[in-house]
Amino acid sequence: MEFWFTEKPTPNWGMTYRVQQVLRRRQTAYQDLAVVETVEFGRALILDGIVQLTEKDEFVYHEMIVHVPMCAHPDPRRVLVVGGGDGGAVREILRHPAVEEICLVDIDGEVIEAAREFFPRVSSGLDDPRVHIVIEDASRYLWRDEVQGRYDVILVDSPDPVGPAIALFQEDFYRAVYRALAPDGLFSAQSECPFLMPDFIRSVQESAARVFPIVKLYIYSNVTYPGGMWAFTTGSKRYDPACPQEGRRPAGPTRYWTPEVHRAAFVLPPFVQELAPRQHALPGTCAGTVDRV
Amino acid sequence: MEFWFTEKPTPNWGMTYRVQQVLRRRQTAYQDLAVVETVEFGRALILDGIVQLTEKDEFVYHEMIVHVPMCAHPDPRRVLVVGGGDGGAVREILRHPAVEEICLVDIDGEVIEAAREFFPRVSSGLDDPRVHIVIEDASRYLWRDEVQGRYDVILVDSPDPVGPAIALFQEDFYRAVYRALAPDGLFSAQSECPFLMPDFIRSVQESAARVFPIVKLYIYSNVTYPGGMWAFTTGSKRYDPACPQEGRRPAGPTRYWTPEVHRAAFVLPPFVQELAPRQHALPGTCAGTVDRV
């Protein structure tokens, strides 16, 4: 007997996984949470029927959402993670030893519990004394008085724009992110697949561009997010997100991010350039080359 | 009632497509050939249960297998396509107006027939007077006397390494490719997914490197090849495949390839660098930058 789980990004297309075991299945206050053991990719965290991470390829997403903004900033000390209850982004942020404070704001504490229990290698950083966990709607948290101008880097590590996450892709939210960033801060945000959701990406870029002076898009590939190519939106008050600062890199080896991959991720095919029209209007300030490949 | 077709790259994972209509289904002399109308991605060509192309995203693969080697060579006149019976590679090669001769060698004439009938926008170049079609096993064709040193560029536009295509990934085949190339020729070859088939890619790189002085790997993303990131192996007698020659580009607009995307495609994440160890040993000769993004 075989069990299969199928994720359908559209009603007419899906990715299907053979499942060895369902380790947890709960309707939380916010979403349908499942942890399953897949045969092919190890354990998977699934929210509302959409795979959020698998042990096989979570390194790609987490390295790219974290090290791009963290290395484009010369000295980030305070970092906010919106969503990201699995802890993968926190783990990567902690590879930047100068970081003094990480605040993780997730609306659903049960995601964090599940990550602690079933994904120890992903959630390993959550007990670090520099990490503060807040269970709250991030759109509210960001308007608190004490967070104004507080963060050097903000990561919007959100699920797809359905359910409670819809608010995290709108102009009001980017205004709140802008407000919570220091005068030279920048953010990166999960932004879906250019092949499958081009109109959505264009509108996110436009919303962010109404708030931030520098807005760019960068891309990466992973296995289990359907569509092949996925994107992050990044907005910055001062630094060019496409340019890693000289000498900035996380401690220890990386499997996806390098300074060269960082720069190359901002080189967009024309069908993606169309979704990020401001990327070309901005003068490039990045003197890096891709000679060494 | 719904019809679904599921491709399983492994026994434990698949991509599943809702199908409106099966337009052709035949056991040819070599493979199980199907043309289906999918709801999500337009028409798809399927060989032995594996999607070869869909109307939605075939542009990515065809632009990247063709324009990278064609633009790394300063003046390609004679081009050989191994496989590629759908005609997509030929269509892209014809965007280089100086080309004088294109030879397409496919083992299975029924693929070409199906492409002419069901994929007119893909196969549109097959009737160009510069195109010669040969129905033959390419491993034999390449050892013919008259092709020795004949081609400036060879494209190995093959299906996955199962069935008759297995031979197209082995050292003997690269020797035949080397023999058929001019003294400054180069080739590109479809080389699977780095996430899913790392050992295979490493062995292809090693086989090619026993024959060619310059061997590199480059990557791209598409929707319908499972695994997100896909790779091409390229081998060259003289020019650096990573470097588009000054001013070389196809006529008309592209949707994926640009000179900047060309260079960026050779920038490999560390987990892929491991599969192409010689890429780093070679001195970079490419002075291009990725400033303009």
Side-chain angles (χ1 to χ4, degrees), chain A residues 10 20 59 64 86 96 100 127 139 150 154 165 240 245 251:
Chain A
T10 83
Q20 227 149 16
F59 72 94
M64 289 302 277
D86 54 65
H96 297 264
E100 294 163 359
D127 293 324
S139 324
R150 184 168 188 91
I154 295 179
D240 184 347
Q245 300 273 344

Side-chain angles (χ1 to χ4, degrees), chain B residues 20-33:
Chain B
Q20 228 150 14
Q21 218 185 141
V22 178
L23 299 167
R24 174 159 296 174
R25 178 77 192 278
R26 267 182 67 75
Q27 183 65 44
T28 76
Y30 298 97
Q31 47 208 346
D32 176 358
L33 181 156

